[in-house]
Amino acid sequence: MPDILLMVGIISLLTIGVIMVYSSSSIWASYKFNDSFFFAKRQILFAGAGVLAMFFIARVPYLFWRTHAKKLLIICFIFLIAVLIPGIGMVRGGAQSWIGVGAFSIQPSEFMKLGLIIFLAKFLSERQKYITSFQQGFLPALSLVLVAFGLIMLQPDLGTGVVLVGTCMLMIFVSGARWAHFVGLGLLGLAGFVALIASAPYRIKRITAFLNPWEDPLGSGFQIIQSLYAIGPGGLMGLGLGQSLQKFFYLPEPQTDFIFAILAEELGFLGGAFVLALFLLVLWRGIRVALYAPDLYGTLLALGIVGMISIQVMINISVVTGLIPVTGITLPFLSYGGSSLTLTLCSVGILLSVSRYSKL
């Protein structure tokens, strides 16, 4: 039987997400589409499809994904390359990250995150005795991650790339890689990260805006200032559901990356704390699933999925509260978005599948 508490946490977050998508987007949707429920209806559709997929996948033995891991990864790479081809990939917000499918679109980088988790869990579990060797264990796994990261950065999509690398590094570390390899990689990664920031003027602006957003309040610092203006007045109890002021064309696209700011404004500190408690519940149950999985593959698979969700939550909340520079990344289960939401729910389905066999 799958983990009930894990399912309760996910469904609770999903329900809050649908409510907040409507609350945060109703003004913008009414203005742009003459339908205040435009984003909410689509979110309900995505959530419904995702939940059905989650329960279906939860009934599929998790070892099924081990058998087809290589095929799934190849398909993910094909789509990740296809999105870079002019005429196939769609440009939004300066990033060529989407492929149009009728009235909807998919984001291949989201599917790459799960595909790489499934493959790495298989690779690391089968070569666990070689993981302490740089050439036989660490380097092959790292090379695969860097190729995927490089393709994502060509879009460019730094937020998704950071989540992917962070998740994979966590899996490699837990599988038994040596500390010395991570120290060397960390130094190279820091140099590369600085180079990535320096190579794009808009990323430099985001860093300077993070350090002092009021230096350019109508430009690079606009989003973070408006986010803080939303969180601050929320106080302990919030202004009340639906009573946000920042959603009146102050905070851009409040239903996506900055939905937590609207939630904090309307539901206050207590509402925000409750949502974070639900994420901690998902993290706790996910780690238990990983610890009690029947084999190393199940452990790494569960840990990778929990790590992906947790890293994404930490980055999003940190951006919204001004702790790190702005980067485009959604809040799992709450933010509006088709590919991100359905992919995350499919990932949870695999996690629930592992929990069916775990000795909880």
Side-chain angles (χ1 to χ4, degrees):
M1 185 175 181
D3 191 303
I4 299 299
L5 282 177
L6 179 58
M7 284 196 293
V8 169
I10 297 300
I11 297 300
S12 299
L13 286 168
L14 203 57
T15 303
I16 294 171
V18 170
I19 294 171
M20 290 311 304
V21 164
Y22 169 71
S23 180
S24 61
S25 68
S26 58
I27 302 301
W28 173 246
S30 182
Y31 169 76
K32 188 173 182 180
F33 301 103
N34 199 31
D35 179 7
S36 62
F37 288 91
F38 178 83
F39 292 105
K41 287 188 292 189
R42 293 166 71 93
Q43 186 75 349
I44 291 172
L45 180 63
F46 296 142
V51 168
L52 289 176
M54 179 183 75
F55 284 118
F56 174 78
I57 292 173
R59 299 183 64 86
V60 176
Y62 71 92
L63 292 177
F64 169 85
W65 306 104
R66 179 175 182 169
T67 304
H68 300 282
K70 187 175 181 180
K71 298 174 187 175
L72 290 171
L73 186 65
I74 292 173
I75 293 172
C76 289
F77 268 115
I78 290 172
F79 276 99
L80 202 58
I81 293 171
V83 78
L84 299 172
I85 301 174
I88 297 180
M90 299 168 57
V91 179
R92 293 181 184 174
Q96 188 169 321
S97 303
W98 288 265
I99 295 177
V101 181
F104 299 93
S105 58
I106 61 172
Q107 192 173 3
S109 58
E110 291 290 335
F111 292 90
M112 173 54 77
K113 289 190 297 187
L114 181 57
L116 200 51
I117 287 171
I118 293 172
F119 182 83
L120 268 186
K122 169 184 168 65
F123 179 84
L124 293 172
S125 61
E126 292 178 350
R127 300 179 62 87
Q128 205 269 331
K129 63 181 179 180
Y130 299 112
I131 194 61
T132 55
S133 168
F134 182 79
Q135 291 184 334
Q136 292 181 287
F138 189 82
L139 184 59
L142 176 64
S143 300
L144 191 62
V145 175
L146 292 181
V147 170
F149 176 73
L151 289 172
I152 291 174
M153 287 308 301
L154 288 176
Q155 298 176 9
D157 186 355
L158 180 60
T160 301
V162 169
V163 173
L164 180 140
V165 171
T167 302
C168 294
M169 290 300 101
L170 176 65
M171 294 175 67
I172 293 172
F173 174 75
V174 170
S175 67
R178 295 175 58 191
W179 272 100
H181 295 158
F182 279 96
V183 172
L185 179 63
L187 294 174
L188 289 174
L190 181 61
F193 191 70
V194 171
L196 282 174
I197 294 174
S199 65
Y202 76 91
R203 293 190 188 121
I204 297 177
K205 288 183 179 179
R206 286 182 177 180
I207 296 295
T208 56
F210 160 68
L211 296 174
N212 184 12
W214 281 270
E215 185 177 344
D216 186 14
L218 298 179
S220 57
F222 185 77
Q223 278 185 304
I224 186 59
I225 289 175
Q226 299 306 318
S227 178
L228 295 176
Y229 279 164
I231 296 172
L236 182 66
M237 303 294 291
L239 302 179
L241 186 63
Q243 301 303 309
S244 166
L245 299 178
Q246 289 303 103
K247 66 184 179 184
F248 282 84
F249 310 110
Y250 292 104
L251 187 59
E253 300 283 345
Q255 72 277 9
T256 55
D257 300 352
F258 284 85
I259 195 169
F260 188 79
I262 303 298
L263 185 147
E265 183 184 12
E266 295 188 348
L267 304 182
F269 173 81
L270 293 180
F274 179 69
V275 168
L276 292 179
L278 288 175
F279 278 120
L280 287 174
L281 172 64
V282 172
L283 173 62
W284 168 51
R285 299 308 298 180
I287 290 177
R288 281 181 59 85
V289 170
L291 289 175
Y292 292 98
D295 54 29
L296 182 58
Y297 172 73
T299 295
L300 293 173
L301 183 61
L303 189 69
I305 292 170
V306 174
M308 176 185 70
I309 294 172
S310 301
I311 291 171
Q312 195 162 327
V313 170
M314 287 189 291
I315 292 177
N316 180 274
I317 300 296
S318 297
V319 166
V320 169
T321 54
L323 296 177
I324 62 174
V326 173
T327 181
I329 194 167
T330 57
L331 183 61
F333 310 113
L334 271 73
S335 293
Y336 171 79
S339 294
S340 177
L341 180 61
T342 52
L343 184 280
T344 305
L345 288 171
C346 288
S347 303
V348 172
I350 297 176
L351 184 60
L352 290 171
S353 176
V354 178
S355 74
R356 289 175 55 205
Y357 299 91
S358 297
K359 301 172 184 178
L360 296 173

PDB file of all heavy atoms in Angstrom, residues 272-290:
ATOM      1  N   GLY A 272       1.650  30.815   5.147  1.00  0.00           N
ATOM      2  CA  GLY A 272       2.932  30.423   4.561  1.00  0.00           C
ATOM      3  C   GLY A 272       3.594  29.314   5.346  1.00  0.00           C
ATOM      4  O   GLY A 272       4.155  28.374   4.768  1.00  0.00           O
ATOM      5  N   ALA A 273       3.521  29.396   6.681  1.00  0.00           N
ATOM      6  CA  ALA A 273       4.120  28.365   7.530  1.00  0.00           C
ATOM      7  C   ALA A 273       3.413  27.027   7.337  1.00  0.00           C
ATOM      8  O   ALA A 273       4.058  25.966   7.352  1.00  0.00           O
ATOM      9  CB  ALA A 273       4.054  28.793   8.995  1.00  0.00           C
ATOM     10  N   PHE A 274       2.096  27.070   7.156  1.00  0.00           N
ATOM     11  CA  PHE A 274       1.341  25.830   6.946  1.00  0.00           C
ATOM     12  C   PHE A 274       1.765  25.157   5.643  1.00  0.00           C
ATOM     13  O   PHE A 274       1.939  23.923   5.601  1.00  0.00           O
ATOM     14  CB  PHE A 274      -0.155  26.129   6.923  1.00  0.00           C
ATOM     15  CG  PHE A 274      -1.016  24.912   6.685  1.00  0.00           C
ATOM     16  CD1 PHE A 274      -1.133  23.918   7.646  1.00  0.00           C
ATOM     17  CD2 PHE A 274      -1.687  24.750   5.479  1.00  0.00           C
ATOM     18  CE1 PHE A 274      -1.917  22.796   7.427  1.00  0.00           C
ATOM     19  CE2 PHE A 274      -2.473  23.631   5.248  1.00  0.00           C
ATOM     20  CZ  PHE A 274      -2.584  22.651   6.220  1.00  0.00           C
ATOM     21  N   VAL A 275       1.949  25.946   4.595  1.00  0.00           N
ATOM     22  CA  VAL A 275       2.395  25.390   3.312  1.00  0.00           C
ATOM     23  C   VAL A 275       3.790  24.794   3.446  1.00  0.00           C
ATOM     24  O   VAL A 275       4.067  23.690   2.947  1.00  0.00           O
ATOM     25  CB  VAL A 275       2.366  26.473   2.206  1.00  0.00           C
ATOM     26  CG1 VAL A 275       3.102  25.996   0.947  1.00  0.00           C
ATOM     27  CG2 VAL A 275       0.928  26.836   1.864  1.00  0.00           C
ATOM     28  N   LEU A 276       4.687  25.492   4.146  1.00  0.00           N
ATOM     29  CA  LEU A 276       6.036  24.965   4.354  1.00  0.00           C
ATOM     30  C   LEU A 276       5.992  23.686   5.191  1.00  0.00           C
ATOM     31  O   LEU A 276       6.787  22.764   4.954  1.00  0.00           O
ATOM     32  CB  LEU A 276       6.909  26.016   5.041  1.00  0.00           C
ATOM     33  CG  LEU A 276       7.258  27.256   4.209  1.00  0.00           C
ATOM     34  CD1 LEU A 276       8.115  28.229   5.014  1.00  0.00           C
ATOM     35  CD2 LEU A 276       7.978  26.863   2.922  1.00  0.00           C
ATOM     36  N   ALA A 277       5.066  23.607   6.147  1.00  0.00           N
ATOM     37  CA  ALA A 277       4.916  22.390   6.946  1.00  0.00           C
ATOM     38  C   ALA A 277       4.477  21.216   6.070  1.00  0.00           C
ATOM     39  O   ALA A 277       4.925  20.075   6.275  1.00  0.00           O
ATOM     40  CB  ALA A 277       3.907  22.623   8.070  1.00  0.00           C
ATOM     41  N   LEU A 278       3.607  21.481   5.091  1.00  0.00           N
ATOM     42  CA  LEU A 278       3.195  20.426   4.170  1.00  0.00           C
ATOM     43  C   LEU A 278       4.369  19.951   3.318  1.00  0.00           C
ATOM     44  O   LEU A 278       4.521  18.752   3.067  1.00  0.00           O
ATOM     45  CB  LEU A 278       2.062  20.929   3.273  1.00  0.00           C
ATOM     46  CG  LEU A 278       0.686  21.117   3.939  1.00  0.00           C
ATOM     47  CD1 LEU A 278      -0.297  21.729   2.950  1.00  0.00           C
ATOM     48  CD2 LEU A 278       0.145  19.778   4.451  1.00  0.00           C
ATOM     49  N   PHE A 279       5.216  20.888   2.882  1.00  0.00           N
ATOM     50  CA  PHE A 279       6.407  20.496   2.125  1.00  0.00           C
ATOM     51  C   PHE A 279       7.353  19.669   2.999  1.00  0.00           C
ATOM     52  O   PHE A 279       7.968  18.700   2.525  1.00  0.00           O
ATOM     53  CB  PHE A 279       7.136  21.729   1.585  1.00  0.00           C
ATOM     54  CG  PHE A 279       6.559  22.270   0.310  1.00  0.00           C
ATOM     55  CD1 PHE A 279       6.063  23.555   0.238  1.00  0.00           C
ATOM     56  CD2 PHE A 279       6.519  21.486  -0.836  1.00  0.00           C
ATOM     57  CE1 PHE A 279       5.536  24.052  -0.941  1.00  0.00           C
ATOM     58  CE2 PHE A 279       5.992  21.973  -2.025  1.00  0.00           C
ATOM     59  CZ  PHE A 279       5.493  23.265  -2.067  1.00  0.00           C
ATOM     60  N   LEU A 280       7.476  20.037   4.262  1.00  0.00           N
ATOM     61  CA  LEU A 280       8.316  19.258   5.183  1.00  0.00           C
ATOM     62  C   LEU A 280       7.739  17.863   5.396  1.00  0.00           C
ATOM     63  O   LEU A 280       8.495  16.884   5.534  1.00  0.00           O
ATOM     64  CB  LEU A 280       8.451  19.988   6.521  1.00  0.00           C
ATOM     65  CG  LEU A 280       9.349  21.221   6.534  1.00  0.00           C
ATOM     66  CD1 LEU A 280       9.279  21.928   7.880  1.00  0.00           C
ATOM     67  CD2 LEU A 280      10.794  20.842   6.207  1.00  0.00           C
ATOM     68  N   LEU A 281       6.411  17.747   5.423  1.00  0.00           N
ATOM     69  CA  LEU A 281       5.771  16.440   5.536  1.00  0.00           C
ATOM     70  C   LEU A 281       6.127  15.568   4.336  1.00  0.00           C
ATOM     71  O   LEU A 281       6.472  14.376   4.491  1.00  0.00           O
ATOM     72  CB  LEU A 281       4.250  16.604   5.638  1.00  0.00           C
ATOM     73  CG  LEU A 281       3.411  15.312   5.575  1.00  0.00           C
ATOM     74  CD1 LEU A 281       3.714  14.414   6.774  1.00  0.00           C
ATOM     75  CD2 LEU A 281       1.918  15.630   5.503  1.00  0.00           C
ATOM     76  N   VAL A 282       6.055  16.156   3.136  1.00  0.00           N
ATOM     77  CA  VAL A 282       6.412  15.422   1.913  1.00  0.00           C
ATOM     78  C   VAL A 282       7.883  15.015   1.956  1.00  0.00           C
ATOM     79  O   VAL A 282       8.243  13.883   1.605  1.00  0.00           O
ATOM     80  CB  VAL A 282       6.117  16.285   0.670  1.00  0.00           C
ATOM     81  CG1 VAL A 282       6.658  15.622  -0.587  1.00  0.00           C
ATOM     82  CG2 VAL A 282       4.615  16.514   0.531  1.00  0.00           C
ATOM     83  N   LEU A 283       8.743  15.928   2.410  1.00  0.00           N
ATOM     84  CA  LEU A 283      10.179  15.630   2.516  1.00  0.00           C
ATOM     85  C   LEU A 283      10.424  14.493   3.501  1.00  0.00           C
ATOM     86  O   LEU A 283      11.177  13.550   3.200  1.00  0.00           O
ATOM     87  CB  LEU A 283      10.929  16.891   2.955  1.00  0.00           C
ATOM     88  CG  LEU A 283      12.418  16.724   3.281  1.00  0.00           C
ATOM     89  CD1 LEU A 283      13.201  16.269   2.054  1.00  0.00           C
ATOM     90  CD2 LEU A 283      12.999  18.026   3.818  1.00  0.00           C
ATOM     91  N   TRP A 284       9.802  14.554   4.669  1.00  0.00           N
ATOM     92  CA  TRP A 284       9.985  13.527   5.701  1.00  0.00           C
ATOM     93  C   TRP A 284       9.529  12.162   5.212  1.00  0.00           C
ATOM     94  O   TRP A 284      10.261  11.166   5.327  1.00  0.00           O
ATOM     95  CB  TRP A 284       9.201  13.940   6.958  1.00  0.00           C
ATOM     96  CG  TRP A 284       9.079  12.853   7.989  1.00  0.00           C
ATOM     97  CD1 TRP A 284      10.085  12.104   8.513  1.00  0.00           C
ATOM     98  CD2 TRP A 284       7.865  12.391   8.607  1.00  0.00           C
ATOM     99  NE1 TRP A 284       9.580  11.191   9.429  1.00  0.00           N
ATOM    100  CE2 TRP A 284       8.229  11.356   9.503  1.00  0.00           C
ATOM    101  CE3 TRP A 284       6.531  12.758   8.505  1.00  0.00           C
ATOM    102  CZ2 TRP A 284       7.282  10.684  10.277  1.00  0.00           C
ATOM    103  CZ3 TRP A 284       5.591  12.090   9.282  1.00  0.00           C
ATOM    104  CH2 TRP A 284       5.967  11.067  10.149  1.00  0.00           C
ATOM    105  N   ARG A 285       8.325  12.095   4.649  1.00  0.00           N
ATOM    106  CA  ARG A 285       7.816  10.802   4.186  1.00  0.00           C
ATOM    107  C   ARG A 285       8.643  10.289   3.006  1.00  0.00           C
ATOM    108  O   ARG A 285       8.875   9.075   2.875  1.00  0.00           O
ATOM    109  CB  ARG A 285       6.344  10.910   3.792  1.00  0.00           C
ATOM    110  CG  ARG A 285       5.413  11.323   4.915  1.00  0.00           C
ATOM    111  CD  ARG A 285       5.563  10.469   6.156  1.00  0.00           C
ATOM    112  NE  ARG A 285       5.248   9.059   5.942  1.00  0.00           N
ATOM    113  CZ  ARG A 285       5.306   8.131   6.870  1.00  0.00           C
ATOM    114  NH1 ARG A 285       5.691   8.454   8.103  1.00  0.00           N
ATOM    115  NH2 ARG A 285       4.983   6.875   6.607  1.00  0.00           N
ATOM    116  N   GLY A 286       9.088  11.198   2.135  1.00  0.00           N
ATOM    117  CA  GLY A 286       9.900  10.785   0.994  1.00  0.00           C
ATOM    118  C   GLY A 286      11.230  10.197   1.423  1.00  0.00           C
ATOM    119  O   GLY A 286      11.697   9.196   0.865  1.00  0.00           O
ATOM    120  N   ILE A 287      11.855  10.818   2.430  1.00  0.00           N
ATOM    121  CA  ILE A 287      13.132  10.301   2.937  1.00  0.00           C
ATOM    122  C   ILE A 287      12.928   8.934   3.584  1.00  0.00           C
ATOM    123  O   ILE A 287      13.757   8.020   3.423  1.00  0.00           O
ATOM    124  CB  ILE A 287      13.758  11.293   3.939  1.00  0.00           C
ATOM    125  CG1 ILE A 287      14.233  12.556   3.196  1.00  0.00           C
ATOM    126  CG2 ILE A 287      14.922  10.648   4.686  1.00  0.00           C
ATOM    127  CD1 ILE A 287      14.792  13.625   4.104  1.00  0.00           C
ATOM    128  N   ARG A 288      11.818   8.756   4.294  1.00  0.00           N
ATOM    129  CA  ARG A 288      11.526   7.451   4.891  1.00  0.00           C
ATOM    130  C   ARG A 288      11.341   6.379   3.815  1.00  0.00           C
ATOM    131  O   ARG A 288      11.804   5.244   3.971  1.00  0.00           O
ATOM    132  CB  ARG A 288      10.269   7.538   5.767  1.00  0.00           C
ATOM    133  CG  ARG A 288      10.510   8.140   7.142  1.00  0.00           C
ATOM    134  CD  ARG A 288       9.231   8.169   7.965  1.00  0.00           C
ATOM    135  NE  ARG A 288       8.671   6.831   8.144  1.00  0.00           N
ATOM    136  CZ  ARG A 288       9.039   5.981   9.094  1.00  0.00           C
ATOM    137  NH1 ARG A 288       9.993   6.321   9.954  1.00  0.00           N
ATOM    138  NH2 ARG A 288       8.463   4.799   9.201  1.00  0.00           N
ATOM    139  N   VAL A 289      10.661   6.754   2.742  1.00  0.00           N
ATOM    140  CA  VAL A 289      10.490   5.812   1.628  1.00  0.00           C
ATOM    141  C   VAL A 289      11.853   5.393   1.093  1.00  0.00           C
ATOM    142  O   VAL A 289      12.111   4.210   0.832  1.00  0.00           O
ATOM    143  CB  VAL A 289       9.636   6.438   0.513  1.00  0.00           C
ATOM    144  CG1 VAL A 289       9.662   5.563  -0.742  1.00  0.00           C
ATOM    145  CG2 VAL A 289       8.198   6.629   0.981  1.00  0.00           C
ATOM    146  N   ALA A 290      12.757   6.380   0.932  1.00  0.00           N
ATOM    147  CA  ALA A 290      14.091   6.084   0.406  1.00  0.00           C
ATOM    148  C   ALA A 290      14.891   5.199   1.362  1.00  0.00           C
ATOM    149  O   ALA A 290      15.559   4.248   0.938  1.00  0.00           O
ATOM    150  CB  ALA A 290      14.846   7.394   0.136  1.00  0.00           C
TER     151      ALA A 290
END
